[in-house]
Amino acid sequence: MNFIFWLAGLGAIAAATRAVTHENPIYSALWTLLALSAVAVEFVLLHSGFLAAMQVLLYAGAIMVLFVFVIMLLSLKKEEHGEEPPFATKAFAFAVALAVFAVLTSAARTFPVRDAAFPASDERMASVAGDVDFGSVEHFGRFLYGPSVVPFELISVLLTAAIAGVVILARRRTPLGVEPPVESAPGHGQGHGEASPAPGDGPAETPPALEAAPLGGGAHT
Amino acid sequence: MNVQHVLIISAGLFSVGIFGVLSRRNLLIVLLSVEIMLNGANLALVGLSRDLAASATPSAAESGQALVLFSMAVAAAEVAVGLSILIAFFRHARSVDTASPRATALRR
């Protein structure tokens, strides 16, 4: 039990470290997946079986699939990954992270330890919630639909708002099939096809003139 | 293995997330780092909930777990909105680099 706890905990930290230092976002996402799964193992050890299932379904399932989906959609070339920040930035980030870790750890050190070892109180945990296990689906569901039913229902409002926000962010600026007015220099816009190969797909993006101007202008003169 | 150890591991996850947010310029990895920070906080909440449940007066120890479930829902919403902002950013800047020249042109 103890061994698994430390293995999963330190494994989560190690996988997360690799995730935030990896060059390629897809490997980053996979390492994050490992870290999230390790946190799910911690949840199981902490009597939260239902949350462990939610962690796997929601985080490792839905959220990470969304990430991988977007990474595949963008299909970034190597030069679009973002430059390596200078060493000073990394050193600064490391110093800040270390400071935060030191503060949080020293705060955790002062936290009163009710039971010296978690496994020692596992027998007591079995009966703390009456006839069901603490953290099981039955016990958690009773709490969720009892005292905390209002915030639980408000989640649906939040998710609806998020969906509406995503639709507004992702929608095309012009109606489908309508060519947007070309704002600047129609002579440049007809540059020979490297800026927007499919004219029908162009309007969703920022004005193509922005990108076409230096290239097309150079070709014409 | 006691509540302090859980809190220390969650602090470690949180700090790794902070390092990622501050040191990377790839917007995708910055978002992933925010997810890791959220997970560190979730782990602390679950550990405290379990600690409270084993105490002499285990009143409403489940609320910690309920809070984690809500924070997962918030994280799902945050990722959906964040990724669509990222795609809008990519359309504009043709890059996911937070310091790309066309991204800084956003500030005009």
Side-chain angles (χ1 to χ4, degrees):
Chain A
M1 194 89 161
N2 234 333
F3 173 70
I4 300 175
F5 174 83
W6 286 109
L7 184 72
L10 297 178
I13 293 177
T17 309
R18 194 69 193 100
V20 301
T21 54
H22 208 289
E23 290 278 304
N24 195 338
I26 194 79
Y27 288 105
S28 221
L30 292 177
W31 280 110
T32 310
L33 198 58
L34 186 62
L36 299 184
S37 310
V39 172
V41 172
E42 298 276 59
F43 283 0
V44 170
L45 294 181
L46 293 170
H47 280 263
S48 307
F50 177 71
L51 283 183
M54 282 300 110
Q55 172 92 0
V56 171
L57 284 177
L58 258 174
Y59 258 114
I63 293 180
M64 292 316 292
V65 164
L66 201 59
F67 259 105
V68 173
F69 200 68
V70 167
I71 293 170
M72 298 283 181
L73 179 73
L74 297 181
S75 66
L76 298 171
K77 292 188 277 300
K78 196 143 182 89
E79 63 270 18
E80 292 170 332
H81 279 172
E83 275 175 45
E84 275 294 295
F87 179 75
T89 307
K90 284 184 174 172
F92 171 74
F94 186 74
V96 171
L98 208 63
V100 169
F101 182 70
V103 169
L104 288 179
T105 307
S106 62
R109 280 274 168 216
T110 64
F111 200 82
V113 180
R114 288 208 183 85
D115 47 349
F118 270 175
S121 62
D122 270 351
E123 297 82 38
R124 194 139 49 90
M125 289 290 291
S127 61
V128 70
D131 51 344
V132 294
D133 268 349
F134 182 83
S136 66
V137 178
E138 189 180 354
H139 172 232
F140 191 63
R142 274 182 195 162
F143 181 78
L144 207 55
Y145 287 98
S148 68
V149 67
V150 174
F152 179 69
E153 295 296 339
L154 283 179
I155 283 182
S156 57
V157 178
L158 172 77
L159 291 177
T160 314
I163 291 173
V166 168
V167 169
I168 288 172
L169 278 170
R171 97 197 139 94
R172 287 162 170 263
R173 298 284 173 230
T174 55
L176 275 176
V178 177
E179 285 293 316
V182 179
E183 281 145 20
S184 65
H188 291 309
Q190 294 303 346
H192 302 281
E194 78 264 21
S196 56
D201 285 345
E205 298 153 7
T206 51
L210 250 181
E211 182 164 277
L215 297 171
H220 275 290
T221 49
Chain B
M1 176 183 171
N2 60 36
V3 65
Q4 289 188 356
H5 300 148
V6 179
L7 290 179
I8 288 171
I9 282 182
S10 87
L13 275 176
F14 191 81
S15 322
V16 168
I18 285 185
F19 176 75
V21 168
L22 290 181
S23 73
R24 296 304 299 262
R25 282 168 55 176
N26 188 334
L27 211 48
L28 277 162
I29 297 180
V30 170
L31 268 176
L32 274 178
S33 308
V34 172
E35 293 308 306
I36 291 170
M37 287 167 72
L38 275 169
N39 254 272
N42 282 354
L43 184 59
L45 282 173
V46 168
L48 291 175
S49 160
R50 191 239 173 272
D51 182 62
L52 188 60
S55 70
T57 54
S59 63
E62 307 91 342
S63 48
Q65 298 192 356
L67 197 54
V68 170
L69 188 73
F70 298 152
S71 104
M72 281 181 184
V74 170
E78 172 248 324
V79 162
V81 175
L83 283 177
S84 69
I85 291 176
L86 187 149
I87 289 179
F89 178 89
F90 181 78
R91 277 180 183 168
H92 181 88
R94 294 267 162 237
S95 159
V96 290
D97 192 342
T98 50
S100 70
R102 304 189 73 197
T104 47
L106 280 171
R107 298 194 201 116
R108 74 204 137 144

